[in-house]
Amino acid sequence: MEFNFKKLKKEFMRITLPDDRTLTINPPKYSDFKKFAQLGNVKTDEDAFKGVAQILNLNMEGIKFTGKECQDLFDMADMYALMTEFMKYLTRITSQKN
């Protein structure tokens, strides 16, 4: 029997930002996954924007985001929509069969 990671089919999330840039989001590492699982429990807007920056920083393009940049880029409705869709993505990739 052989197991080859290169043959695994991974699902990526594509995001088109309000400024029309497109990002391809990699599946998170396990250590990051645990942090993202807590996104629904953020206590402050600052924490929410930091969480969004962490999501966006998973991009394959290598573009880095800060919480402040996300605050300037997204309104509150956009930010929470992104977090909701990302949580759906996490659910989908953790429940898929390879």
Side-chain angles (χ1 to χ4, degrees):
M1 178 177 182
E2 177 184 353
F3 180 77
N4 185 339
F5 278 100
K6 295 189 186 260
K7 292 182 181 180
L8 285 177
K9 294 184 185 208
K10 292 187 180 181
E11 183 175 338
F12 301 95
M13 182 178 186
R14 303 267 304 154
I15 299 173
T16 302
L17 299 174
D19 63 6
D20 289 326
R21 288 182 288 172
T22 302
L23 302 175
T24 305
I25 304 299
N26 284 305
K29 303 262 189 249
Y30 183 73
S31 59
D32 292 328
F33 177 79
K34 292 190 318 188
K35 286 187 251 177
F36 292 132
Q38 299 301 317
L39 277 179
N41 301 325
V42 294
K43 302 284 189 244
T44 67
D45 291 344
E46 184 179 334
D47 288 342
F49 285 115
K50 285 180 185 177
V52 168
Q54 287 178 319
I55 292 170
L56 297 180
N57 286 335
L58 294 172
N59 72 79
M60 293 174 89
E61 293 77 12
I63 301 168
K64 295 298 178 197
F65 292 87
T66 65
K68 172 68 172 119
E69 288 172 314
C70 291
Q71 190 172 1
D72 294 339
L73 187 60
F74 298 106
D75 63 29
M76 294 302 288
D78 291 341
M79 182 189 66
Y80 284 106
L82 173 60
M83 291 189 332
T84 299
E85 289 305 308
F86 185 73
M87 295 306 289
K88 289 178 188 176
Y89 167 67
L90 290 181
T91 300
R92 195 168 44 255
I93 64 173
T94 56
S95 61
Q96 74 182 6
K97 298 194 187 309
N98 287 314

